[in-house]
Amino acid sequence: MQIGMVGLGKMGGNMAERLRRAGHDVIGYDRHPENSDVAGLDELVQRLQAPRVVWVMVPAGDPTRATIDQLCEALSPGDIVVDGGNSHYRDDKKHADQLGSRGIGFVDVGVSGGVWGLQNGYALMVGGDAEHVDRLMPIFQSLKPEGEDGYVHAGTVGAGHFAKMVHNGIEYGIMQAFAEGWELLEATDIVTDVPGAFKSWRTGTVIRSWLLDLLVRALDQDPDLSELKGYAEDSGEGRWTVQAAVDHAVPLPAITAALYARFSSRQEDSPAMKMVAALRNQFGGHAVASAEGQRTKGADAPGADVTPPVEAQH
């Protein structure tokens, strides 16, 4: 199948490569010319055979809106635009209506897999009309992990991004619990092998998970996390999850507390936030702040020393 990919960063670039390895014809565009197959979106559209599919993997907000505005003018009836970024689910309806007025389909996809996705596949949460989703199934089948799970047509337009938003909210809570447990173990004189305690939990316990594996990996690299500053960003989905909970009158005390903990990390050097920062760097290659306060680039996916299970990917 032929597809255009807009945005070839850590996620988009690896997704394009996974699709190529599966035999798909991928034409990529990125604002960095060295990563791009074409000079611009207009050339990308011209290179694609109708009916076209264009997958957008650019930052949420204005960059996504500007890209969809341009594609709305360049594409033709019968084409489909896929928003695979972390857009707010409320924006999806606007984009679907905008493109639909020109006869262009729209599908929103929450994508999870981080820097490990090229090797292990991406969990996909899809929203959109069945006719559009069905056309894209060869792409989804190539991107998802092997096996039965890792893909869901979650509902109508907006459902994919809503499901991914809640996924990331849950992730906030799990990481915060691990981080607080690590801080408490570090604070006591009774436990003298904190990394060993976490390693012991990787087998046979009810909290074993890919995040626990990544936590152990982070401690192997920096046993007391002294190389990190206790500062953790939030990329938006946690805030949106809490706001959606307010809108629907659904109590989310754990997720809300985890979001507020990230806010507090920016006021002082929080030991627990060192672990949250380390985990975000491990699973998503997100940038971290060193103990000296310098921002460093996110890590690329390592070889295969920690392989996430299909059911637990970011």
Side-chain angles (χ1 to χ4, degrees):
M1 185 172 178
Q2 188 183 56
I3 185 171
M5 182 71 72
V6 180
L8 301 173
K10 285 182 294 189
M11 288 283 282
N14 281 346
M15 290 169 67
E17 178 60 23
R18 185 173 173 87
L19 289 172
R20 289 190 177 106
R21 292 179 184 180
H24 297 283
D25 178 16
V26 181
I27 302 174
Y29 168 67
D30 191 85
R31 62 190 180 90
H32 296 99
E34 64 273 15
N35 298 331
S36 191
D37 299 318
V38 294
L41 287 179
D42 290 338
E43 184 181 347
L44 174 68
V45 171
Q46 293 170 7
R47 290 269 301 272
L48 294 171
Q49 300 174 359
R52 306 169 185 86
V53 174
V54 180
W55 189 303
V56 179
M57 285 297 292
V58 301
D62 289 340
T64 294
R65 285 190 283 270
T67 301
I68 290 178
D69 286 346
Q70 191 170 346
L71 288 172
C72 188
E73 297 299 321
L75 292 173
S76 304
D79 296 342
I80 297 177
V81 172
V82 181
D83 180 5
N86 282 328
S87 293
H88 194 286
Y89 69 96
R90 294 189 185 278
D91 288 342
D92 294 326
K93 181 65 164 57
K94 299 175 185 176
H95 293 152
D97 290 345
Q98 176 187 4
L99 293 164
S101 69
R102 301 288 297 269
I104 303 166
F106 176 82
V107 173
D108 61 285
V109 182
V111 181
S112 183
V115 296
W116 301 82
L118 173 60
Q119 174 183 336
N120 300 299
Y122 300 88
L124 305 174
M125 293 142 272
V126 178
D129 294 343
E131 62 174 306
H132 299 144
V133 174
D134 290 345
R135 273 182 54 190
L136 297 167
M137 282 308 299
I139 297 297
F140 297 149
Q141 289 292 342
S142 297
L143 286 173
K144 69 179 287 294
E146 294 183 5
E148 181 180 354
D149 299 322
Y151 166 85
V152 61
H153 182 187
T156 58
V157 167
H161 282 147
F162 194 96
K164 177 58 165 34
M165 175 189 74
V166 174
H167 163 281
N168 282 22
I170 293 170
E171 175 189 294
Y172 274 50
I174 295 173
M175 287 198 295
Q176 184 64 25
F178 276 134
E180 291 176 4
W182 172 80
E183 182 173 359
L184 180 56
L185 287 171
E186 283 285 338
T188 182
D189 294 331
I190 300 174
V191 178
T192 57
D193 185 1
V194 174
F198 280 100
K199 287 182 181 179
S200 74
W201 297 344
R202 294 175 66 183
T203 305
T205 74
V206 297
I207 62 169
R208 61 188 184 275
S209 64
W210 182 43
L211 280 175
L212 178 58
D213 292 340
L214 293 176
L215 187 157
V216 169
R217 186 173 183 273
L219 292 175
D220 283 343
Q221 296 172 352
D222 184 7
D224 58 1
L225 301 184
S226 59
E227 298 179 8
L228 293 178
K229 180 178 172 60
Y231 179 104
E233 286 283 5
D234 68 287
S235 53
E237 295 91 335
R239 300 187 190 205
W240 298 342
T241 305
V242 172
Q243 183 58 59
V246 173
D247 295 341
H248 293 82
V250 174
L252 299 184
I255 294 174
T256 302
L259 173 65
Y260 286 175
R262 294 201 184 185
F263 295 161
S264 69
S265 80
R266 298 163 203 176
Q267 299 171 356
E268 59 181 308
D269 191 15
S270 164
M273 284 303 112
K274 290 185 178 183
M275 179 56 72
V276 172
L279 282 169
R280 293 182 80 245
N281 178 259
Q282 288 291 331
F283 68 69
H286 299 291
V288 296
S290 68
E292 291 75 25
Q294 297 178 334
R295 301 283 288 171
T296 61
K297 293 182 179 180
D300 293 328
D305 53 339
V306 180
T307 301
V310 170
E311 68 274 21
Q313 296 186 358
H314 174 264

